[in-house]
Amino acid sequence: MSTGIPVRWVLSQPELNLALKGGSAGLGRNITMALTSELTEPQQWLSGGELVLTTGMGLPLSGADRLRYLTELDAAGVAGVGFGVGLSHETVPADLVEAADALGLPLFEVPLPTPFGAITKKVMQRLAEQEYEKVLRASRAQPRMTRAAIQGMGAVIRELSAALSATVVVAGADGAISDSHPGRATAEVAERIGEFLSTRGDGVGSGVIHTASGQIIALQAITAGQTVHGHLAVVTATPLSSVDQVLLGHASSLLALDFEKPARLRIAQNHLNSQAIAMLLDEPGDLETLWRHLAPAADRSGRVRALVLWCDSPEAAVRVTEAVDEQLHPHNRQLFARISGDRVAVLLPGSDTEEAAEQLLAAMPDEVRTAIRAGLSAPHLLRRFATAIEHAELASSAALPGGRPLELASLAGQTLLTLPEAQRMLGAISEAMLAPLADYDERHGTDLIASLRAYLEAHGQWETAATALGVHRHTLRSRVAKIESVLGCQLDVARVRAELLLAIIARR
């Protein structure tokens, strides 16, 4: 941010022996230059941020004029006034002190043994140190941003945000915000960027925007040749320094390169991502390099969702993967996917919703989309992505072709009756367990299976079950006794009741 030294820092230098006399409310004002002036009206030569040093030789005589003198210095943006005593004035005039307090303009006494040159030198040395620190910080930040570019846009803007201690925003040519760090851009910032770009006929703009809340937005177009990919903005409380602007320009260039990555590089990146997933599924463990490679797949909390797309052929799985990549590319998101036969497993940030997953499929050709069964997992920690894929696969096996991505959690209470594998297993169990009752009902013209179902669904409550059947409870007791005899079991055992209920539901 802009260079400056708080007035309180100058006063804290013991070798200068400075003493604050008035205007303590302004000790946080930043000094950008120190100069000496004995002019009666020096304000016309000032641009703001100066520390004015004077012996008072040109100081007006009346209190009203002295108040005007300080008021005009304050209006010019002066950071503070150092008043040298022992020459034209033995002490700092009391009315000057009173005026400084009223304005909040720091006024301090400079003793005769302290030359103005010592103060100026001290200030300029500190300013030079600050500039060096900024250059040093930039020299360290630039390689970090360059390395981060390998991971994509999100990593670059995180490094820029850290280097400038500011909010960084990426917007499209139309002003729509596509990414920001840290956190979301405020509505005010998004609105001002949109307004600024809307005034440009081609939607391209670079410049400085001021908000009503006092923030400053430095906006720079992300361009490569004649192509404008978007805009990079830094939101701060003070203007960017020249060094900060260099970092902004560097980040903009890196993002332009990221936007311009040839298609073959993205294909290679997708292949590496797929290989990392495959290796971690085959050899789970502490393969830190692979885990770091997958880190961009997760959201800010380190979680991922798995989207499994069950296609009608391996060839269709390849086409579906390419279509998903086409949807992710405009949003500068990498594809983390693995094809296994006719199924595709895609890792999405844990913050993605069902709607976001549905949008990935919306642009596919109808003949492809209608054949896909999609399953979505709940958010999992990145290191449990294999579990997320397993859950999404189960959900996809129960999903309808062409339907919305089905979450496994939404199948609560019906999972065993929805999954094909479970249906086959329960069907076989049902046939084996209920065959004696079915035979008995057929031979005697009874309906013991219906009585058993009512009894089990009523949780063994005789009155409730009898009412549901329209019989007396004693009649139901007699039927239950016959059921226990035919099946050779005891219905007062909870596990027996649970297995029989599942068998009846599967039979239905």
Side-chain angles (χ1 to χ4, degrees), residues 167-192:
T167 298
V168 177
V169 177
V170 178
D174 59 354
I177 305 300
S178 61
D179 204 350
S180 63
H181 188 83
R184 293 184 177 181
T186 65
E188 181 186 33
V189 168
E191 182 179 353
R192 290 293 291 119

Side-chain angles (χ1 to χ4, degrees), residues 99-154:
D101 280 330
L103 295 168
L105 177 63
L107 173 66
F108 57 84
E109 180 182 278
V110 182
L112 185 60
T114 300
F116 285 174
I119 300 174
T120 301
K121 182 179 180 180
K122 198 77 173 177
V123 168
M124 300 313 291
Q125 282 180 338
R126 180 56 188 151
L127 288 172
E129 289 172 359
Q130 285 187 336
E131 286 300 320
Y132 175 75
E133 290 167 2
K134 285 182 176 290
V135 172
L136 185 62
R137 174 165 52 83
S139 69
R140 292 170 176 168
Q142 282 183 310
R144 285 199 300 268
M145 282 193 287
T146 303
R147 288 192 296 269
I150 298 174
Q151 300 179 20
M153 179 176 68

Side-chain angles (χ1 to χ4, degrees), residues 29 33 45 92 100 167 221 256 267 278 347-348 406 436 443 472 477:
R29 296 190 185 199
M33 172 183 256
W45 309 106
V92 180
T167 298
I267 292 172
L347 295 186
L348 303 175
L406 183 64
R443 283 186 288 106
H472 194 275
R477 286 182 184 273

